[in-house]
Amino acid sequence: MKRVGVTDTTLRDAHQSLLATRMRTEDMLPVVGKLDQAGFYALEVWGGATFDACLRYLGEDPWERLRQIRARVRHTPLMMLLRGQNLVGYRHYPDDVVQAFVRLAVKNGVDILRVFDALNDLRNLRTAVAAAKEAGAHVQGTVVYTKSPVHTCRELVETALELAEMGADSICLKDMAGLLIPGEADQLVRALKEKVSLPLEIHAHYTSGLASMAYLKAIEAGADVVDTAVSTLALGTSQPPTESLAAALAGTEWEPELDLGLVAEVAEHFRVVRRKYQEYDVGTVVDAAVLRYQIPGGMISNFTAQLAQQKALDKLPQVLEEVERVREELGYPPLVTPSSQVVGAQAVLNVLGGERYKLVANEVKAYLRGFYGQPPGPVSEAVRRKVVGDEGAIACRPADLLPPGLEPARREVAAYLETEEDLLSYVLFPPQAKKFLQERLAARTQVDYCLLEAAENEGGGYPAP
Ligand code: CO
């Protein structure tokens, strides 16, 4: 018997993908205990865009969310998604910030850190991996999957081997665009399982309609764990549905050990909760354009919005074709945050600017100078010359150039800090966190004032001297 493990992504990736990451902690907590009892391999509950969204949109403390979930989960490991040196933000942070963030994430309840770098430049994972190991956490090293001439099966296996060498406890194959076709899943998983002796987890998005089929092939080929979401927050740009996978595998040697009664209760809860977030809901249609252009669904909807603003929606097909060209010229970066923004911004400028690379996005300059890391493949020399001229690329790891960030930040917001976690929130998202911390302090002062007033009123009954 080789039962497959299932990681539930409902509380992180599913609502990040379907509801613009807007789900509030109060809508999660009623079913966290049930998820814990249902028999999942892990619960992915933190990281990715959720940290940013808590501070930016929800007025919530992301650390408090983690602690609230941790307090209700006794049996199942908690997983987070960490963007390597970018942590849960969009730029490279200094090593002292990465070390402190990882230490506090583990201290507040994360058991498994799934760590990836958009370019598969493993230098950008080193500090986070070392810090997670030191904190005693399970490190899941991630191979970002994409289609390109430089991302062959051999290359991807090579990346996994390097992750194993770095000390990863398991490997994740991350297909953020949902492009993994079943036959490829079979081939890749066999190759990975043959060469790398670590548990292998597959993470895919349903966007193109392929993910459930790819999972089945991956499981038959020896994948140990797959990521799903409960049916009411699955499909579309989210993960495949847990219940369907369980039904497909019922009676086979891979049948997962899940309590489907509990999963059904969780699904019913989110069926109702989802209605509250209707204004953000992107729905769950299969996006066939993803198959045609091999571009993540999120990018296509961003283009649609941007071009509509410029009254140039008719240019969408050109932009989508330009993406592939720019991507080739930039050495085939996988289209995932933040490299998808680099490629996307330039593709739009190239189409709307009339001449290619006449206008250049700052991100592209930084990318070509090595500030995101090493491009996976060779960069077009003509484009490099046109964009950055004689300015050379850095040869070192981008974060090597960053001075320590914690202490300067501490001085900036000393008045509002209550915990070390507050400081990290501020370093990562300065304006958003500062506003949150100020408002929290103001609310506390208000409460103190009310208590004081109440105490004084009671004091009125004291006998006069
Ligand atoms: Co994902």
Side-chain angles (χ1 to χ4, degrees), residues 264-292:
E265 288 175 36
V266 174
E268 177 54 24
H269 169 78
F270 286 117
R271 190 178 64 78
V272 178
V273 160
R274 186 168 179 170
R275 291 191 204 128
K276 287 169 73 171
Y277 299 95
Q278 213 167 15
E279 62 179 304
Y280 306 108
D281 200 327
V282 296
T284 44
V285 286
V286 165
D287 195 338
V290 171
L291 291 172
R292 191 165 157 208

PDB file of all heavy atoms in Angstrom, residues 264-292:
ATOM      1  N   ALA A 264     -16.527  17.212   3.805  1.00  0.00           N
ATOM      2  CA  ALA A 264     -17.824  17.712   3.322  1.00  0.00           C
ATOM      3  C   ALA A 264     -18.335  18.852   4.208  1.00  0.00           C
ATOM      4  O   ALA A 264     -18.889  19.837   3.710  1.00  0.00           O
ATOM      5  CB  ALA A 264     -18.842  16.573   3.284  1.00  0.00           C
ATOM      6  N   GLU A 265     -18.119  18.723   5.517  1.00  0.00           N
ATOM      7  CA  GLU A 265     -18.553  19.800   6.423  1.00  0.00           C
ATOM      8  C   GLU A 265     -17.759  21.081   6.158  1.00  0.00           C
ATOM      9  O   GLU A 265     -18.303  22.182   6.174  1.00  0.00           O
ATOM     10  CB  GLU A 265     -18.378  19.368   7.886  1.00  0.00           C
ATOM     11  CG  GLU A 265     -19.392  18.331   8.328  1.00  0.00           C
ATOM     12  CD  GLU A 265     -19.126  17.825   9.748  1.00  0.00           C
ATOM     13  OE1 GLU A 265     -18.699  18.631  10.601  1.00  0.00           O
ATOM     14  OE2 GLU A 265     -19.331  16.621   9.984  1.00  0.00           O
ATOM     15  N   VAL A 266     -16.466  20.922   5.912  1.00  0.00           N
ATOM     16  CA  VAL A 266     -15.621  22.085   5.611  1.00  0.00           C
ATOM     17  C   VAL A 266     -16.074  22.713   4.285  1.00  0.00           C
ATOM     18  O   VAL A 266     -16.203  23.935   4.170  1.00  0.00           O
ATOM     19  CB  VAL A 266     -14.133  21.681   5.535  1.00  0.00           C
ATOM     20  CG1 VAL A 266     -13.275  22.854   5.076  1.00  0.00           C
ATOM     21  CG2 VAL A 266     -13.646  21.159   6.888  1.00  0.00           C
ATOM     22  N   ALA A 267     -16.358  21.874   3.309  1.00  0.00           N
ATOM     23  CA  ALA A 267     -16.786  22.377   1.999  1.00  0.00           C
ATOM     24  C   ALA A 267     -18.093  23.162   2.135  1.00  0.00           C
ATOM     25  O   ALA A 267     -18.265  24.226   1.533  1.00  0.00           O
ATOM     26  CB  ALA A 267     -16.956  21.219   1.022  1.00  0.00           C
ATOM     27  N   GLU A 268     -19.007  22.652   2.940  1.00  0.00           N
ATOM     28  CA  GLU A 268     -20.294  23.333   3.127  1.00  0.00           C
ATOM     29  C   GLU A 268     -20.069  24.711   3.775  1.00  0.00           C
ATOM     30  O   GLU A 268     -20.666  25.706   3.362  1.00  0.00           O
ATOM     31  CB  GLU A 268     -21.210  22.457   3.997  1.00  0.00           C
ATOM     32  CG  GLU A 268     -22.556  23.070   4.339  1.00  0.00           C
ATOM     33  CD  GLU A 268     -23.350  23.544   3.122  1.00  0.00           C
ATOM     34  OE1 GLU A 268     -23.120  23.027   2.008  1.00  0.00           O
ATOM     35  OE2 GLU A 268     -24.197  24.445   3.290  1.00  0.00           O
ATOM     36  N   HIS A 269     -19.178  24.748   4.739  1.00  0.00           N
ATOM     37  CA  HIS A 269     -18.849  26.032   5.392  1.00  0.00           C
ATOM     38  C   HIS A 269     -18.371  27.051   4.351  1.00  0.00           C
ATOM     39  O   HIS A 269     -18.855  28.179   4.313  1.00  0.00           O
ATOM     40  CB  HIS A 269     -17.770  25.805   6.455  1.00  0.00           C
ATOM     41  CG  HIS A 269     -17.171  27.065   6.996  1.00  0.00           C
ATOM     42  ND1 HIS A 269     -17.806  27.852   7.935  1.00  0.00           N
ATOM     43  CD2 HIS A 269     -16.000  27.701   6.710  1.00  0.00           C
ATOM     44  CE1 HIS A 269     -17.051  28.912   8.209  1.00  0.00           C
ATOM     45  NE2 HIS A 269     -15.948  28.847   7.480  1.00  0.00           N
ATOM     46  N   PHE A 270     -17.458  26.631   3.488  1.00  0.00           N
ATOM     47  CA  PHE A 270     -16.890  27.593   2.528  1.00  0.00           C
ATOM     48  C   PHE A 270     -17.849  27.896   1.363  1.00  0.00           C
ATOM     49  O   PHE A 270     -17.723  28.934   0.726  1.00  0.00           O
ATOM     50  CB  PHE A 270     -15.523  27.115   2.017  1.00  0.00           C
ATOM     51  CG  PHE A 270     -14.458  27.276   3.062  1.00  0.00           C
ATOM     52  CD1 PHE A 270     -13.793  26.178   3.590  1.00  0.00           C
ATOM     53  CD2 PHE A 270     -14.134  28.537   3.553  1.00  0.00           C
ATOM     54  CE1 PHE A 270     -12.827  26.330   4.576  1.00  0.00           C
ATOM     55  CE2 PHE A 270     -13.177  28.704   4.540  1.00  0.00           C
ATOM     56  CZ  PHE A 270     -12.518  27.596   5.056  1.00  0.00           C
ATOM     57  N   ARG A 271     -18.810  27.011   1.122  1.00  0.00           N
ATOM     58  CA  ARG A 271     -19.833  27.324   0.124  1.00  0.00           C
ATOM     59  C   ARG A 271     -20.599  28.574   0.557  1.00  0.00           C
ATOM     60  O   ARG A 271     -20.871  29.475  -0.240  1.00  0.00           O
ATOM     61  CB  ARG A 271     -20.798  26.141  -0.034  1.00  0.00           C
ATOM     62  CG  ARG A 271     -21.750  26.261  -1.217  1.00  0.00           C
ATOM     63  CD  ARG A 271     -22.646  25.031  -1.343  1.00  0.00           C
ATOM     64  NE  ARG A 271     -23.535  24.887  -0.184  1.00  0.00           N
ATOM     65  CZ  ARG A 271     -24.640  25.591   0.007  1.00  0.00           C
ATOM     66  NH1 ARG A 271     -25.023  26.474  -0.893  1.00  0.00           N
ATOM     67  NH2 ARG A 271     -25.379  25.420   1.084  1.00  0.00           N
ATOM     68  N   VAL A 272     -20.882  28.626   1.842  1.00  0.00           N
ATOM     69  CA  VAL A 272     -21.605  29.785   2.371  1.00  0.00           C
ATOM     70  C   VAL A 272     -20.678  30.995   2.473  1.00  0.00           C
ATOM     71  O   VAL A 272     -21.017  32.099   2.041  1.00  0.00           O
ATOM     72  CB  VAL A 272     -22.212  29.440   3.760  1.00  0.00           C
ATOM     73  CG1 VAL A 272     -22.926  30.653   4.347  1.00  0.00           C
ATOM     74  CG2 VAL A 272     -23.146  28.244   3.638  1.00  0.00           C
ATOM     75  N   VAL A 273     -19.476  30.777   3.015  1.00  0.00           N
ATOM     76  CA  VAL A 273     -18.519  31.878   3.204  1.00  0.00           C
ATOM     77  C   VAL A 273     -18.169  32.551   1.881  1.00  0.00           C
ATOM     78  O   VAL A 273     -18.042  33.774   1.800  1.00  0.00           O
ATOM     79  CB  VAL A 273     -17.233  31.338   3.893  1.00  0.00           C
ATOM     80  CG1 VAL A 273     -16.046  32.275   3.674  1.00  0.00           C
ATOM     81  CG2 VAL A 273     -17.479  31.142   5.385  1.00  0.00           C
ATOM     82  N   ARG A 274     -18.054  31.761   0.832  1.00  0.00           N
ATOM     83  CA  ARG A 274     -17.612  32.298  -0.462  1.00  0.00           C
ATOM     84  C   ARG A 274     -18.507  33.435  -0.946  1.00  0.00           C
ATOM     85  O   ARG A 274     -18.031  34.374  -1.581  1.00  0.00           O
ATOM     86  CB  ARG A 274     -17.567  31.160  -1.489  1.00  0.00           C
ATOM     87  CG  ARG A 274     -16.990  31.598  -2.808  1.00  0.00           C
ATOM     88  CD  ARG A 274     -16.690  30.410  -3.701  1.00  0.00           C
ATOM     89  NE  ARG A 274     -16.155  30.870  -4.968  1.00  0.00           N
ATOM     90  CZ  ARG A 274     -15.619  30.092  -5.888  1.00  0.00           C
ATOM     91  NH1 ARG A 274     -15.540  28.793  -5.678  1.00  0.00           N
ATOM     92  NH2 ARG A 274     -15.154  30.594  -7.011  1.00  0.00           N
ATOM     93  N   ARG A 275     -19.789  33.333  -0.619  1.00  0.00           N
ATOM     94  CA  ARG A 275     -20.742  34.368  -1.061  1.00  0.00           C
ATOM     95  C   ARG A 275     -20.360  35.738  -0.525  1.00  0.00           C
ATOM     96  O   ARG A 275     -20.599  36.758  -1.177  1.00  0.00           O
ATOM     97  CB  ARG A 275     -22.144  34.029  -0.559  1.00  0.00           C
ATOM     98  CG  ARG A 275     -22.741  32.818  -1.222  1.00  0.00           C
ATOM     99  CD  ARG A 275     -24.227  32.740  -0.843  1.00  0.00           C
ATOM    100  NE  ARG A 275     -24.695  31.368  -0.948  1.00  0.00           N
ATOM    101  CZ  ARG A 275     -25.341  30.713   0.013  1.00  0.00           C
ATOM    102  NH1 ARG A 275     -25.620  31.306   1.167  1.00  0.00           N
ATOM    103  NH2 ARG A 275     -25.716  29.474  -0.176  1.00  0.00           N
ATOM    104  N   LYS A 276     -19.776  35.780   0.674  1.00  0.00           N
ATOM    105  CA  LYS A 276     -19.397  37.064   1.283  1.00  0.00           C
ATOM    106  C   LYS A 276     -18.352  37.793   0.459  1.00  0.00           C
ATOM    107  O   LYS A 276     -18.162  38.987   0.593  1.00  0.00           O
ATOM    108  CB  LYS A 276     -18.817  36.836   2.689  1.00  0.00           C
ATOM    109  CG  LYS A 276     -19.846  36.465   3.712  1.00  0.00           C
ATOM    110  CD  LYS A 276     -19.241  35.980   5.005  1.00  0.00           C
ATOM    111  CE  LYS A 276     -18.596  36.990   5.905  1.00  0.00           C
ATOM    112  NZ  LYS A 276     -18.247  36.388   7.208  1.00  0.00           N
ATOM    113  N   TYR A 277     -17.602  37.032  -0.350  1.00  0.00           N
ATOM    114  CA  TYR A 277     -16.480  37.616  -1.080  1.00  0.00           C
ATOM    115  C   TYR A 277     -16.766  37.715  -2.579  1.00  0.00           C
ATOM    116  O   TYR A 277     -15.845  37.784  -3.392  1.00  0.00           O
ATOM    117  CB  TYR A 277     -15.212  36.795  -0.824  1.00  0.00           C
ATOM    118  CG  TYR A 277     -14.833  36.763   0.639  1.00  0.00           C
ATOM    119  CD1 TYR A 277     -15.223  35.715   1.460  1.00  0.00           C
ATOM    120  CD2 TYR A 277     -14.103  37.811   1.199  1.00  0.00           C
ATOM    121  CE1 TYR A 277     -14.893  35.698   2.804  1.00  0.00           C
ATOM    122  CE2 TYR A 277     -13.774  37.804   2.536  1.00  0.00           C
ATOM    123  CZ  TYR A 277     -14.171  36.737   3.337  1.00  0.00           C
ATOM    124  OH  TYR A 277     -13.839  36.739   4.669  1.00  0.00           O
ATOM    125  N   GLN A 278     -18.034  37.744  -2.887  1.00  0.00           N
ATOM    126  CA  GLN A 278     -18.471  37.727  -4.280  1.00  0.00           C
ATOM    127  C   GLN A 278     -17.790  38.786  -5.147  1.00  0.00           C
ATOM    128  O   GLN A 278     -17.424  38.525  -6.288  1.00  0.00           O
ATOM    129  CB  GLN A 278     -19.979  37.969  -4.304  1.00  0.00           C
ATOM    130  CG  GLN A 278     -20.679  37.256  -5.410  1.00  0.00           C
ATOM    131  CD  GLN A 278     -22.188  37.288  -5.188  1.00  0.00           C
ATOM    132  OE1 GLN A 278     -22.700  38.053  -4.371  1.00  0.00           O
ATOM    133  NE2 GLN A 278     -22.886  36.459  -5.924  1.00  0.00           N
ATOM    134  N   GLU A 279     -17.591  39.984  -4.577  1.00  0.00           N
ATOM    135  CA  GLU A 279     -17.029  41.073  -5.402  1.00  0.00           C
ATOM    136  C   GLU A 279     -15.593  40.778  -5.851  1.00  0.00           C
ATOM    137  O   GLU A 279     -15.102  41.389  -6.802  1.00  0.00           O
ATOM    138  CB  GLU A 279     -17.102  42.409  -4.652  1.00  0.00           C
ATOM    139  CG  GLU A 279     -16.306  42.421  -3.363  1.00  0.00           C
ATOM    140  CD  GLU A 279     -16.376  43.769  -2.632  1.00  0.00           C
ATOM    141  OE1 GLU A 279     -16.025  44.780  -3.269  1.00  0.00           O
ATOM    142  OE2 GLU A 279     -16.752  43.779  -1.444  1.00  0.00           O
ATOM    143  N   TYR A 280     -14.911  39.870  -5.167  1.00  0.00           N
ATOM    144  CA  TYR A 280     -13.531  39.539  -5.548  1.00  0.00           C
ATOM    145  C   TYR A 280     -13.438  38.220  -6.313  1.00  0.00           C
ATOM    146  O   TYR A 280     -12.377  37.849  -6.804  1.00  0.00           O
ATOM    147  CB  TYR A 280     -12.645  39.418  -4.301  1.00  0.00           C
ATOM    148  CG  TYR A 280     -12.703  40.627  -3.421  1.00  0.00           C
ATOM    149  CD1 TYR A 280     -13.351  40.598  -2.186  1.00  0.00           C
ATOM    150  CD2 TYR A 280     -12.115  41.826  -3.830  1.00  0.00           C
ATOM    151  CE1 TYR A 280     -13.410  41.722  -1.376  1.00  0.00           C
ATOM    152  CE2 TYR A 280     -12.174  42.949  -3.031  1.00  0.00           C
ATOM    153  CZ  TYR A 280     -12.825  42.894  -1.809  1.00  0.00           C
ATOM    154  OH  TYR A 280     -12.888  44.006  -1.029  1.00  0.00           O
ATOM    155  N   ASP A 281     -14.546  37.515  -6.378  1.00  0.00           N
ATOM    156  CA  ASP A 281     -14.539  36.138  -6.873  1.00  0.00           C
ATOM    157  C   ASP A 281     -14.293  36.090  -8.381  1.00  0.00           C
ATOM    158  O   ASP A 281     -15.039  36.678  -9.154  1.00  0.00           O
ATOM    159  CB  ASP A 281     -15.891  35.493  -6.538  1.00  0.00           C
ATOM    160  CG  ASP A 281     -15.826  33.986  -6.553  1.00  0.00           C
ATOM    161  OD1 ASP A 281     -15.056  33.424  -7.360  1.00  0.00           O
ATOM    162  OD2 ASP A 281     -16.551  33.359  -5.764  1.00  0.00           O
ATOM    163  N   VAL A 282     -13.228  35.396  -8.802  1.00  0.00           N
ATOM    164  CA  VAL A 282     -12.937  35.321 -10.235  1.00  0.00           C
ATOM    165  C   VAL A 282     -13.626  34.136 -10.911  1.00  0.00           C
ATOM    166  O   VAL A 282     -13.505  33.951 -12.116  1.00  0.00           O
ATOM    167  CB  VAL A 282     -11.406  35.226 -10.525  1.00  0.00           C
ATOM    168  CG1 VAL A 282     -10.709  36.477 -10.070  1.00  0.00           C
ATOM    169  CG2 VAL A 282     -10.804  33.988  -9.874  1.00  0.00           C
ATOM    170  N   GLY A 283     -14.371  33.354 -10.119  1.00  0.00           N
ATOM    171  CA  GLY A 283     -15.112  32.247 -10.704  1.00  0.00           C
ATOM    172  C   GLY A 283     -14.213  31.077 -11.058  1.00  0.00           C
ATOM    173  O   GLY A 283     -13.006  31.100 -10.819  1.00  0.00           O
ATOM    174  N   THR A 284     -14.803  30.054 -11.660  1.00  0.00           N
ATOM    175  CA  THR A 284     -14.044  28.812 -11.834  1.00  0.00           C
ATOM    176  C   THR A 284     -14.151  28.234 -13.234  1.00  0.00           C
ATOM    177  O   THR A 284     -14.264  27.045 -13.420  1.00  0.00           O
ATOM    178  CB  THR A 284     -14.521  27.748 -10.821  1.00  0.00           C
ATOM    179  OG1 THR A 284     -15.944  27.765 -10.795  1.00  0.00           O
ATOM    180  CG2 THR A 284     -13.990  28.021  -9.446  1.00  0.00           C
ATOM    181  N   VAL A 285     -14.096  29.093 -14.234  1.00  0.00           N
ATOM    182  CA  VAL A 285     -14.113  28.539 -15.588  1.00  0.00           C
ATOM    183  C   VAL A 285     -12.711  28.040 -15.965  1.00  0.00           C
ATOM    184  O   VAL A 285     -11.714  28.513 -15.442  1.00  0.00           O
ATOM    185  CB  VAL A 285     -14.531  29.592 -16.642  1.00  0.00           C
ATOM    186  CG1 VAL A 285     -16.011  29.864 -16.561  1.00  0.00           C
ATOM    187  CG2 VAL A 285     -13.722  30.856 -16.484  1.00  0.00           C
ATOM    188  N   VAL A 286     -12.657  27.096 -16.884  1.00  0.00           N
ATOM    189  CA  VAL A 286     -11.374  26.651 -17.425  1.00  0.00           C
ATOM    190  C   VAL A 286     -10.913  27.687 -18.443  1.00  0.00           C
ATOM    191  O   VAL A 286     -11.679  28.140 -19.292  1.00  0.00           O
ATOM    192  CB  VAL A 286     -11.499  25.277 -18.106  1.00  0.00           C
ATOM    193  CG1 VAL A 286     -10.282  24.990 -18.982  1.00  0.00           C
ATOM    194  CG2 VAL A 286     -11.643  24.197 -17.055  1.00  0.00           C
ATOM    195  N   ASP A 287      -9.655  28.092 -18.309  1.00  0.00           N
ATOM    196  CA  ASP A 287      -9.118  29.129 -19.172  1.00  0.00           C
ATOM    197  C   ASP A 287      -8.308  28.498 -20.298  1.00  0.00           C
ATOM    198  O   ASP A 287      -7.122  28.211 -20.154  1.00  0.00           O
ATOM    199  CB  ASP A 287      -8.235  30.054 -18.326  1.00  0.00           C
ATOM    200  CG  ASP A 287      -7.938  31.355 -19.048  1.00  0.00           C
ATOM    201  OD1 ASP A 287      -8.047  31.372 -20.282  1.00  0.00           O
ATOM    202  OD2 ASP A 287      -7.598  32.328 -18.368  1.00  0.00           O
ATOM    203  N   ALA A 288      -8.951  28.290 -21.422  1.00  0.00           N
ATOM    204  CA  ALA A 288      -8.288  27.590 -22.519  1.00  0.00           C
ATOM    205  C   ALA A 288      -7.185  28.445 -23.142  1.00  0.00           C
ATOM    206  O   ALA A 288      -6.254  27.921 -23.758  1.00  0.00           O
ATOM    207  CB  ALA A 288      -9.299  27.180 -23.581  1.00  0.00           C
ATOM    208  N   ALA A 289      -7.258  29.776 -22.958  1.00  0.00           N
ATOM    209  CA  ALA A 289      -6.209  30.650 -23.490  1.00  0.00           C
ATOM    210  C   ALA A 289      -4.866  30.336 -22.841  1.00  0.00           C
ATOM    211  O   ALA A 289      -3.813  30.525 -23.445  1.00  0.00           O
ATOM    212  CB  ALA A 289      -6.577  32.112 -23.245  1.00  0.00           C
ATOM    213  N   VAL A 290      -4.908  29.847 -21.599  1.00  0.00           N
ATOM    214  CA  VAL A 290      -3.676  29.482 -20.906  1.00  0.00           C
ATOM    215  C   VAL A 290      -2.947  28.384 -21.670  1.00  0.00           C
ATOM    216  O   VAL A 290      -1.720  28.392 -21.802  1.00  0.00           O
ATOM    217  CB  VAL A 290      -3.979  29.034 -19.459  1.00  0.00           C
ATOM    218  CG1 VAL A 290      -2.754  28.444 -18.798  1.00  0.00           C
ATOM    219  CG2 VAL A 290      -4.504  30.214 -18.646  1.00  0.00           C
ATOM    220  N   LEU A 291      -3.720  27.446 -22.196  1.00  0.00           N
ATOM    221  CA  LEU A 291      -3.117  26.349 -22.955  1.00  0.00           C
ATOM    222  C   LEU A 291      -2.502  26.870 -24.251  1.00  0.00           C
ATOM    223  O   LEU A 291      -1.456  26.424 -24.692  1.00  0.00           O
ATOM    224  CB  LEU A 291      -4.173  25.300 -23.290  1.00  0.00           C
ATOM    225  CG  LEU A 291      -4.703  24.509 -22.104  1.00  0.00           C
ATOM    226  CD1 LEU A 291      -5.872  23.646 -22.535  1.00  0.00           C
ATOM    227  CD2 LEU A 291      -3.603  23.664 -21.500  1.00  0.00           C
ATOM    228  N   ARG A 292      -3.176  27.843 -24.833  1.00  0.00           N
ATOM    229  CA  ARG A 292      -2.730  28.364 -26.113  1.00  0.00           C
ATOM    230  C   ARG A 292      -1.475  29.212 -25.949  1.00  0.00           C
ATOM    231  O   ARG A 292      -0.533  29.113 -26.728  1.00  0.00           O
ATOM    232  CB  ARG A 292      -3.866  29.191 -26.709  1.00  0.00           C
ATOM    233  CG  ARG A 292      -3.635  29.568 -28.126  1.00  0.00           C
ATOM    234  CD  ARG A 292      -4.914  30.064 -28.782  1.00  0.00           C
ATOM    235  NE  ARG A 292      -4.557  30.899 -29.905  1.00  0.00           N
ATOM    236  CZ  ARG A 292      -5.299  31.892 -30.364  1.00  0.00           C
ATOM    237  NH1 ARG A 292      -6.441  32.168 -29.774  1.00  0.00           N
ATOM    238  NH2 ARG A 292      -4.912  32.590 -31.389  1.00  0.00           N
TER     239      ARG A 292
END
